[in-house]
Amino acid sequence: MTLKIGVIGTGAIGQEHIQRLHNKLVGSTVVAVNDINKSQAEEVAQRLTPAAKVFENGHDLITDPNVDAIVVTSWGPTHEEFVLSSIAAGKPVFCEKPLATTAEACLNIVNAEIASGRQLVQVGFMRRYDKSYRLLKEQITNGNLGQPMMVHCAHRNPSVPEVYAGDMAITDSFPHEIDVLRWLLDDDYVSAQVIMPRKTKHTRKDLDDPHMILLETKKGIRIDVEVFVNCPYGYDIQCQVVGEDGIGYLPEPMSVLLRKDAKLSHEILQDWKLRFIDSYDVELQEWIESVKAGVVRGPTAWDGYFASVTADACVEAKHSGKIVPIQIGERPSFYAPTALKPAA
Ligand code: NAI
Ligand code: ISE
């Protein structure tokens, strides 16, 4: 059976996902697209063979009987309405991060999904599908490092566009660490603190950069993450887990060591698309298979909610200069890993 997918949002990552869902991965085809930028949606639809149908609005795409499952890649503030609409239609939905832009909106999605009685929502936290993170997790779960005590991370972008403003280092970039570190350590957070170093000359007036974010987990692990989004040299994701018995380093992306011009050098990637290209493929291939099996195996709406609550605490910590508790109720049994609910 080929899964017929409708995609809402045909911008940067939407176009990437459309190509992989239609032309690269196995068992799926993109039959419908929608974007408020209609000419862009039409152009993207025409690139496919056969061409996808262009819908005037996302809600009509969701309810169309020819669409089996939905991928939401529109701007963050629009995610809540499209995910809620997909739940109301009883259709599986893959939503790019963030699940929604406020904790309240994420909770609305969690509550709607629980009320529907079926898990339908997966959030696009693709780092869980990255081979290097999976190898690092293996070292933690097989006990090779002993109990983890500290984690040192960096999330560095060479630059960010004009629309990236305010606290987006925390609300747009850092959520990847929020999710992947919970998954890596099988732990939850209890507090957040944000320390602002001196500002780089490469940033704009309206954007603070870099940030140092400190998290404490339930098990007492201390995490520090540097989020530096105008580091001119490249896109660079680092993670080092310090355990009682050893230290695990996130493997560097593979690249040839060059001996040239009196230097030994490795190439450094320049953007997230290349760094995580394989992870997006694995993420969506596994999503296609889980939808067909009628379950959700990836990051859930609860994980999306947790990320949002944590990001809010970090924003508060940044502006207050205080250590802010991260308070979230117990995970509902609906989202227990063993409680896989049929999607259709
Ligand atoms: P983008 O701005 O390139 O594309 C977003 C598209 O959504 C635009 O074409 C816009 O016209 C469309 N759109 C906005 N409101 C809409 C509405 N109401 N209905 C239909 N279409 C609408 O943005 P980009 O970079 O593709 O990001 C999209 C989402 O993906 C964001 O939530 C972002 O955080 C996430 N993202 C995730 C990444 C990852 O590594 N997992 C990487 C980049 C983005
Ligand atoms: C962007 O939105 C992403 O999601 C990328 O994966 C991340 O690395 C980048 O910092 C964000 O701006």
Side-chain angles (χ1 to χ4, degrees):
M1 168 216 172
T2 300
L3 194 68
K4 288 177 283 174
I5 296 171
V7 179
I8 302 174
T10 58
I13 203 160
Q15 292 184 30
E16 297 271 325
H17 286 349
I18 286 169
Q19 282 307 321
R20 55 174 55 89
L21 289 164
H22 197 75
N23 294 323
K24 194 171 183 187
L25 305 180
V26 179
S28 67
T29 175
V30 175
V31 294
V33 296
N34 157 259
D35 199 293
I36 45 167
N37 181 342
K38 199 170 172 208
S39 59
Q40 177 186 269
E42 271 161 3
E43 196 196 314
V44 170
Q46 285 304 322
R47 274 185 222 148
L48 305 178
T49 312
K53 181 171 173 187
V54 178
F55 281 77
E56 287 290 331
N57 79 70
H59 301 284
D60 292 343
L61 174 149
I62 290 167
T63 51
D64 189 89
N66 194 38
V67 170
D68 300 324
I70 293 87
V71 168
V72 178
T73 47
S74 47
W75 293 324
T78 67
H79 291 183
E80 180 190 13
E81 61 168 298
F82 294 133
V83 174
L84 287 175
S85 189
S86 303
I87 294 171
K91 294 189 182 177
V93 53
F94 174 94
C95 179
E96 258 310 334
K97 46 71 51 177
L99 174 59
T101 44
T102 64
E104 190 190 353
C106 292
L107 193 56
N108 288 341
I109 291 171
V110 163
N111 288 336
E113 193 179 34
I114 293 175
S116 83
R118 291 179 291 167
Q119 271 196 33
L120 294 164
V121 183
Q122 179 165 326
V123 186
F125 287 127
M126 76 297 181
R127 289 200 193 174
R128 297 187 188 199
Y129 299 86
D130 182 61
K131 193 166 184 195
S132 51
Y133 274 107
R134 286 186 166 186
L135 287 170
L136 185 57
K137 184 167 171 70
E138 215 174 282
Q139 292 300 318
I140 299 170
T141 39
N142 70 15
N144 244 359
L145 307 180
Q147 295 294 343
M149 301 174 298
M150 291 172 284
V151 184
H152 309 298
C153 304
H155 183 147
R156 303 192 186 113
N157 293 34
S159 62
V160 282
E162 285 289 312
V163 289
Y164 193 105
D167 292 317
M168 282 178 74
I170 296 174
T171 58
D172 187 73
S173 298
F174 183 55
H176 286 296
E177 269 78 18
I178 298 178
D179 183 71
V180 82
L181 297 177
R182 271 180 78 225
W183 168 83
L184 202 60
L185 301 167
D186 191 22
D187 206 349
D188 282 334
Y189 309 123
V190 294
S191 75
Q193 183 181 5
V194 177
I195 296 169
M196 301 304 294
R198 75 190 282 194
K199 211 163 152 167
T200 165
K201 68 178 181 196
H202 295 297
T203 193
R204 307 184 312 258
K205 271 207 180 98
D206 63 331
L207 189 68
D208 297 324
D209 189 43
H211 291 63
M212 279 183 66
I213 305 175
L214 309 179
L215 296 171
E216 183 186 359
T217 74
K218 272 190 181 162
K219 294 177 189 166
I221 302 169
R222 295 291 182 151
I223 297 168
D224 58 86
V225 183
E226 168 202 316
V227 184
F228 183 15
V229 298
N230 289 282
C231 111
Y233 75 82
Y235 184 77
D236 190 11
I237 302 300
Q238 300 285 329
C239 180
Q240 188 190 127
V241 179
V242 181
E244 298 161 300
D245 299 330
I247 302 179
Y249 295 83
L250 187 73
E252 290 284 346
M254 201 159 63
S255 77
V256 172
L257 172 66
L258 280 185
R259 286 171 188 267
K260 196 175 174 209
D261 299 331
K263 285 189 191 108
L264 276 178
S265 64
H266 279 282
E267 187 191 3
I268 295 180
L269 296 173
Q270 293 302 304
D271 78 34
W272 48 264
K273 281 182 212 150
L274 287 176
R275 170 63 182 84
F276 289 107
I277 189 163
D278 297 335
S279 327
Y280 297 120
D281 288 349
V282 177
E283 172 189 46
L284 286 172
Q285 188 66 64
E286 289 192 14
W287 177 69
I288 292 164
E289 273 140 37
S290 65
V291 168
K292 288 183 185 175
V295 294
V296 175
R297 296 198 184 100
T300 63
W302 179 256
D303 296 318
Y305 173 54
F306 202 106
S308 183
V309 171
T310 305
D312 284 355
C314 293
V315 171
E316 188 187 335
K318 172 180 168 182
H319 294 289
S320 67
K322 295 191 174 139
I323 298 175
V324 173
I326 297 173
Q327 284 157 334
I328 186 164
E330 281 304 306
R331 179 175 59 192
S333 56
F334 183 83
Y335 292 108
T338 48
L340 294 173
K341 302 283 185 302

